[in-house]
Each structure stands twice: as structure tokens, then as C-alpha cells.
């Protein structure tokens, strides 16, 4: 019996996920290729590996109660100086993400935990790199847009090599909530 480090997140689908991952690597973030592009619902959490079946059962219940919703990313934000992070903002779907992460971390569930910072859904594009590179990420992605229907989330485990790997996907149990009028589903960077 040992411990494993897990996380729960909403994957940013293709082609947006790979595009943002490549950009993150291009800004000099060495961890970029080991972290699938995502919106966190449960940050890295160490658990007993024997608890994984109960955690998966809990996540299946959360997903069954969830409903698909429109997710839209637009522009950038930062947690600096509190935390060395630049991110792409979640401008539609944030309330649903907030509800989901509360259900995942429910006090009566197997992964109950407090957060170091208040929950703020986002997609990290630079973390812990030089300030000039953080500034560049903030500026270059300020016009970024992407939209897709979010239909579930996944459980990930961090390997000894630092790479996050998907263990299982959890699909929502209800009908799709229709998106509001807005940008197309294609990701886009501002014209240069």
C-alpha cells in the first residue's frame, strides 16, 4: 500500500489543448509537456492508492448529477504577485466549474480538502517562469478565444516522472445546456 498524487480536471479539447500546451512550452515552462491543458477541479492531492475505487465511485456520482454546459475561454489574467501564474480566463462555464469542484471536494466525500487559495477556474499558460516570459504569455494570449461544450471531467494521476496521466473519464448525466450566442468553437489567437 502506498500513496498516489491525483487531480481532477476538465480537459481542454483539441485542437485548443495542444495549441495552448505548445504555447506554454514556448514561453519556457518546462512542465508544459507533462501537464495536459485543463481547468482544475481538484488540485494535486496525495491519497492512499487503496482509496482510488471509492474516489472513482464518488466522481461517478458527481458526474451523474452534472449537466453538460458551454465553456468559453477569452483573454488572459494573472495571479501575480500572489502566485507566479498567467492564465487564459474562463468567461463562460465558471459557475458550473465552481459547483463541480465543490461537489468533488465535498466534506463527506473521499477527497475532502481545503484549498490554499479561493477557487478560480482558469487555464494555466505559464507558471513559475521568468517575469519577462510571464509578461509575454500575458500579452500574446490576451486575444485568445476558444469555446466548446463541456461534457464531463477526468481523474488524473501524477507519475514518478512528473507527468500527469488520465486514469478515467466521467461523463455528465444530463442533456446539454444550450450555449449562448457568442464566438465560434475555434480557438484563435489575435492577428499579429
Amino acid at each position: 500500500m502506498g500513496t498516489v498524487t491525483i487531480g481532477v480536471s476538465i480537459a481542454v479539447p483539441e485542437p485548443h489543448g495542444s495549441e495552448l500546451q505548445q504555447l506554454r512550452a514556448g514561453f519556457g515552462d518546462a512542465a508544459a509537456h507533462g501537464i495536459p491543458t485543463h481547468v482544475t477541479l481538484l488540485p494535486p492531492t496525495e491519497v492512499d492508492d487503496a482509496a482510488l475505487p471509492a474516489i472513482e465511485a464518488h466522481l461517478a456520482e458527481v458526474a451523474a448529477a452534472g449537466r453538460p454546459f458551454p465553456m468559453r475561454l477569452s483573454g488572459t489574467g494573472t495571479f501575480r504577485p500572489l502566485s507566479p501564474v498567467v492564465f487564459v480566463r474562463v468567461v463562460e462555464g465558471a459557475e458550473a466549474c465552481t459547483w463541480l469542484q465543490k461537489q468533488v471536494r465535498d466534506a463527506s466525500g473521499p477527497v475532502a480538502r481545503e484549498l490554499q487559495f479561493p477557487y478560480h477556474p482558469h487555464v494555466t499558460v505559464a507558471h513559475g517562469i521568468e517575469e519577462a516570459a510571464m509578461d509575454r504569455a500575458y500579452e500574446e494570449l490576451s486575444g485568445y478565444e476558444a469555446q466548446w461544450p463541456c461534457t464531463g471531467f477526468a481523474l488524473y494521476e501524477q507519475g514518478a516522472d512528473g507527468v500527469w496521466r488520465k486514469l478515467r473519464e466521467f461523463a455528465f448525466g444530463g442533456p446539454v445546456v444550450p450555449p449562448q450566442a457568442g464566438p465560434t468553437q475555434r480557438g484563435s489567437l489575435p492577428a499579429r
Side-chain angles (χ1 to χ4, degrees):
M1 294 288 180
T3 61
V4 293
T5 299
I6 62 165
V8 178
S9 63
I10 295 169
V12 174
E14 296 305 330
H16 319 303
S18 292
E19 179 182 38
L20 289 172
Q21 189 176 42
Q22 291 300 321
L23 288 164
R24 182 173 178 173
F27 296 132
D29 192 327
H33 291 296
I35 305 172
T37 308
H38 67 282
V39 175
T40 299
L41 298 176
L42 177 74
T45 302
E46 193 172 293
V47 298
D48 284 331
D49 56 6
L52 283 175
I55 291 168
E56 288 190 22
H58 170 67
L59 295 175
E61 287 179 15
V62 171
R67 298 292 176 264
F69 59 92
M71 181 81 92
R72 186 163 68 93
L73 309 179
S74 180
T76 50
T78 184
F79 294 131
R80 297 183 292 173
L82 192 60
S83 181
V85 172
V86 171
F87 57 86
V88 173
R89 297 181 309 123
V90 174
V91 297
E92 187 174 1
E95 287 181 20
C97 291
T98 300
W99 181 85
L100 283 168
Q101 65 88 28
K102 284 180 184 173
Q103 304 312 304
V104 168
R105 295 185 307 102
D106 186 293
S108 64
V111 285
R113 65 164 284 184
E114 293 297 316
L115 298 178
Q116 184 178 0
F117 300 106
Y119 182 73
H120 182 87
H122 65 280
V123 177
T124 299
V125 291
H127 181 214
I129 59 177
E130 294 179 6
E131 287 295 319
M134 302 268 279
D135 292 342
R136 190 165 63 95
Y138 186 88
E139 290 300 320
E140 287 187 18
L141 292 174
S142 64
Y144 187 83
E145 294 277 341
Q147 182 173 331
W148 69 93
C150 179
T151 58
F153 56 84
L155 172 65
Y156 292 82
E157 179 180 341
Q158 186 178 34
D161 57 0
V163 174
W164 287 90
R165 294 175 179 86
K166 188 184 306 179
L167 295 180
R168 182 173 167 194
E169 291 186 41
F170 300 88
F172 294 138
V176 175
V177 176
Q180 297 179 5
T184 66
Q185 293 214 5
R186 296 190 61 233
S188 62
L189 291 172
R192 298 197 197 284

